[in-house]
Amino acid sequence: MEPLTGRPLAERIAGQSQWYHSMELLPGVVTPGWFDTRPLVAALPFPASLEGKRCLDVGTFDGFWAFEMERRGAAEVVAVDVLDPKAWDWPVASTPDSVAAIGERKAEGEGFELAKAALGSAVTRHEVSVYDLDPGDLGAFDFVYIGSLLLHLQNPVRGLERVRAVCRGTLLAVDAIDPTLSRIFRRRPVAHLDARGRPWWWKPNVAGLRRMVEAAGFTVLEAPRRVRIKRGAGRTAPPLTPRTLRHRAGREALASHWLGDAHAAVLARPT
Ligand SMILES: C[S@@+](CC[C@H](N)C(=O)[O-])C[C@H]1O[C@@H](n2cnc3c(N)ncnc32)[C@H](O)[C@@H]1O
């Protein structure tokens, strides 16, 4: 990554073509994110104030949620991420092209560094996998946010168990759910397994996401909320062709683009 003392920040931000999060980093300059999570904040049980709290954002990408915690008065915000997509959980049949495409968007985590500099933020980012979270290394946290990451884990419950190991307060887990399974099975926890060449593993129904959190040793504090995450300006619409409509993945991509990506939010505390 080019040192931040080089080209002017505004030029660097404008030059970064791929962003995950839509964030206003300079007056009137909003990054063209893959998702726009800004309207989501109000729909979540996200604490209005985090005054004096130690907070953790797991799988931060460009850092939107970590910066939001800081904006709400957190005493300290730590973010963790795995910057090299090769180290993510990939199904065996994945191709080098898929890994490279995600690597391009990730850009070695440069978006986070640019956003941190533009916002004058004190958030610290550590390269630590969720599976390796350890209170001996990072300490314990009063509030932990984990968003759109369980979907990418081969073992989401193991990941949540490690989150529990560093959580001494509240967890907010917001992750992808399968809307069809959520409609059919309202109480029974079930999940769709993808694992076809891309780092998409388990998409549970809402009851399944809740059960994953409980199975990892948390007590759920309120009924999970269904939310949809809106697309950002960095995304183009999937083609509306008979082929797209024929396949489940194609239909899901269309729904995600036009309606928002189906997620549920689970608020919990360690049992
Ligand atoms: C889909 S993005 C979600 C970004 C952000 N958490 C949000 O909710 O908007 C998934 C993030 O998880 C990170 N990631 C992937 N595998 C991880 C792992 N094993 N441990 C921690 N982070 C991981 C990726 O690098 C990426 O930043």
Side-chain angles (χ1 to χ4, degrees):
M1 201 178 101
E2 184 184 331
L4 283 168
T5 45
R7 277 184 295 147
L9 197 53
E11 206 181 290
R12 297 273 300 275
I13 290 169
Q16 173 103 351
S17 57
Q18 301 213 35
W19 292 83
Y20 185 85
H21 290 127
S22 306
M23 295 178 285
E24 186 167 357
L25 295 186
L26 299 167
V29 178
V30 177
T31 56
W34 189 250
F35 286 105
D36 189 347
T37 42
R38 291 173 300 168
L40 178 61
V41 185
L44 296 177
F46 200 88
S49 165
L50 287 165
E51 205 75 42
K53 307 280 190 216
R54 260 200 110 223
C55 299
L56 174 68
D57 180 25
V58 186
T60 197
F61 219 119
D62 296 330
F64 174 86
W65 295 102
F67 302 131
E68 189 60 31
M69 292 174 191
E70 193 175 44
R71 230 168 52 79
R72 288 169 191 243
E76 184 188 354
V77 182
V78 173
V80 294
D81 206 350
V82 172
L83 298 185
D84 178 0
K86 289 201 278 303
W88 294 14
D89 286 356
W90 287 89
V92 283
S94 304
T95 62
D97 284 356
S98 333
V99 183
I102 290 198
E104 211 176 298
R105 174 164 299 279
K106 195 78 198 162
E108 295 171 10
E110 183 158 10
F112 175 90
E113 289 300 342
L114 293 175
K116 176 176 162 160
L119 298 172
S121 162
V123 172
T124 55
R125 183 180 61 188
H126 300 255
E127 271 208 74
V128 176
S129 165
V130 64
Y131 294 127
D132 297 327
L133 285 173
D134 184 336
D137 296 333
L138 295 177
F141 296 90
D142 303 302
F143 178 68
V144 181
Y145 185 89
I146 180 167
S148 306
L149 169 57
L150 300 176
L151 161 80
H152 298 301
L153 300 180
Q154 187 177 17
N155 195 334
V157 177
R158 172 67 54 81
L160 285 165
E161 281 175 359
R162 296 317 306 158
V163 169
R164 193 201 50 194
V166 296
C167 181
R168 64 180 175 205
T170 313
L171 163 73
L172 180 54
V174 181
D175 228 284
I177 49 114
D178 186 303
T180 310
L181 291 178
S182 300
R183 247 189 328 273
I184 301 173
F185 301 100
R186 290 191 178 271
R187 294 217 171 82
R188 186 166 158 198
V190 292
H192 170 82
L193 174 61
D194 186 296
R196 289 184 194 278
R198 51 185 196 164
W200 272 231
W201 291 89
W202 304 98
K203 250 197 202 175
N205 61 349
V206 176
L209 182 62
R210 177 189 180 127
R211 189 71 201 109
M212 282 179 184
V213 172
E214 288 171 343
F218 287 92
T219 299
V220 172
L221 298 173
E222 58 171 59
R225 297 187 195 181
R226 288 276 306 263
V227 290
R228 283 198 177 262
I229 306 187
K230 289 191 185 322
R231 69 176 184 272
R235 234 156 100 177
T236 48
L240 187 57
T241 60
R243 190 183 144 72
T244 317
L245 289 170
R246 228 177 5 255
H247 296 284
R248 181 190 168 100
R251 291 192 298 274
E252 279 180 4
L254 283 169
S256 164
H257 187 83
W258 294 110
L259 303 175
D261 212 58
H263 275 57
V266 180
L267 189 70
R269 64 169 165 71
T271 302

